[in-house]
Amino acid sequence: MFHGTITEELTNHEEWSHYNENMIQDHKDFVFVKFSGLHLKSMENLQSCISLRVCIFSNNFITDIRPLKSCIKLVKLDLHGNQIKSLPDTKFWSGLKNLKLLYLHDNGFAKLKNVCVLSACPSLLALTMFDCPVSLKKGYRHVLVNSIWPLKALDHHVISDEEIIQNWHLPERFRTYNCRLFFNFCPALKKGSTYEDEINNIKYVISKINEIMAHNSPVLIVQRWIRGFLVRKHLRSEGV
């Protein structure tokens, strides 16, 4: 497993010394890159990092993420705090079949139609787009929640059944934005975190989202109760 990057722009930064010991000639073996707040303008040289699984390029000056098209093994992509105003088309996102966590908050997205291309991302579980102009649009959350089918969490809150099932008004405990559904799944970055740290964090985030849903989704609660009832009924009929 390797982590680093390959642009001349990056090698001039002091933080590059942190990556020297892991630097290799074959960039296709990189699985982790993390360069935050370094005033970077391009991701062009990541095109050859075909094994990349975790990419953190937050708080830079990135405007174009199309070079990531070949990084089809990405699981987590953090691009918050950049200058991105539009996303690549659905073909780009449909190729990222393993992408589960996508952090895009604090960017320049303004059109709902453009961000809806994320509906092509087949495994996306958690997304952030708060502090973007588009998040102020009427119906922003409703449109994204009902466009990106695998999505389970958006902007600090796990998605409620009330948001998915039309005209279903639930008790306070299960309502949208209630405190039980709150989860900050994009905390501040830790300096010096390793690839293993990031993978463990990904597992934790996904596990926590599933746990919150299991306890606060009436649909899942009923399904669990019915499965338990049927299993007990079957065991009784077998005389167990």
Side-chain angles (χ1 to χ4, degrees):
M1 296 182 294
F2 303 92
H3 55 92
T5 189
I6 51 180
T7 62
E8 181 179 353
E9 185 179 16
L10 284 172
T11 59
N12 293 326
H13 283 279
E14 292 181 5
E15 291 196 21
W16 177 252
S17 59
H18 174 66
Y19 291 88
N20 276 341
E21 62 189 54
N22 299 297
M23 184 63 177
I24 57 170
Q25 295 300 315
D26 200 347
H27 308 124
K28 73 177 187 298
D29 290 328
F30 283 20
V31 294
F32 175 37
V33 292
K34 178 184 177 184
F35 288 99
S36 178
L38 300 180
H39 310 294
L40 306 178
K41 299 178 181 178
S42 173
M43 305 184 81
E44 183 177 350
N45 288 305
L46 289 182
Q47 293 180 88
S48 59
C49 299
I50 58 175
S51 297
L52 197 61
R53 298 191 69 199
V54 178
C55 179
I56 300 174
F57 255 71
S58 56
N59 296 313
N60 288 296
F61 297 113
I62 304 299
T63 58
D64 182 11
I65 67 172
R66 286 175 296 178
L68 293 173
K69 182 178 180 179
S70 59
C71 304
I72 59 174
K73 295 184 179 181
L74 275 172
V75 177
K76 174 181 177 178
L77 178 57
D78 185 349
L79 296 168
H80 82 266
N82 278 284
Q83 297 180 355
I84 308 166
K85 293 184 178 180
S86 63
L87 293 172
D89 60 17
T90 54
K91 186 176 180 181
F92 173 94
W93 296 105
S94 63
L96 301 182
K97 299 185 185 303
N98 299 307
L99 185 63
K100 298 183 184 301
L101 308 183
L102 178 58
Y103 303 153
L104 294 174
H105 55 280
D106 195 17
N107 272 287
F109 307 111
K111 297 181 179 179
L112 267 174
K113 183 178 180 180
N114 178 241
V115 297
C116 282
V117 297
L118 294 173
S119 62
C121 201
S123 302
L124 187 60
L125 298 180
L127 169 68
T128 63
M129 296 199 79
F130 60 88
D131 290 341
C132 295
V134 71
S135 67
L136 302 176
K137 296 277 188 180
K138 184 178 181 180
Y140 150 77
R141 187 175 175 92
H142 174 78
V143 170
L144 285 186
V145 165
N146 289 280
S147 297
I148 309 172
W149 289 6
L151 199 65
K152 294 183 178 181
L154 174 63
D155 295 345
H156 299 320
H157 281 86
V158 173
I159 295 168
S160 72
D161 289 352
E162 200 174 45
E163 296 180 90
I164 300 171
I165 303 174
Q166 191 173 9
N167 296 323
W168 194 17
H169 303 292
L170 296 172
E172 181 63 32
R173 174 188 168 182
F174 302 112
R175 284 187 179 173
T176 305
Y177 290 128
N178 82 76
C179 61
R180 292 180 178 87
L181 294 175
F182 177 83
F183 176 39
N184 181 16
F185 54 88
C186 54
L189 295 175
K190 293 182 179 179
K191 189 173 183 178
S193 62
T194 65
Y195 173 69
E196 288 74 19
D197 292 334
E198 289 296 333
I199 292 299
N200 288 334
N201 178 255
I202 291 169
K203 291 178 179 178
Y204 167 75
V205 168
I206 294 173
S207 174
K208 186 65 176 179
I209 289 173
N210 288 334
E211 178 187 341
I212 292 173
M213 291 194 74
H215 289 91
N216 297 280
S217 165
V219 170
L220 294 181
I221 292 171
V222 170
Q223 287 177 346
R224 190 164 61 247
W225 185 88
I226 291 175
R227 284 196 299 270
F229 171 78
L230 292 176
V231 168
R232 290 190 295 273
K233 183 178 180 181
H234 175 72
L235 292 176
R236 283 197 298 271
S237 66
E238 296 288 326
V240 177

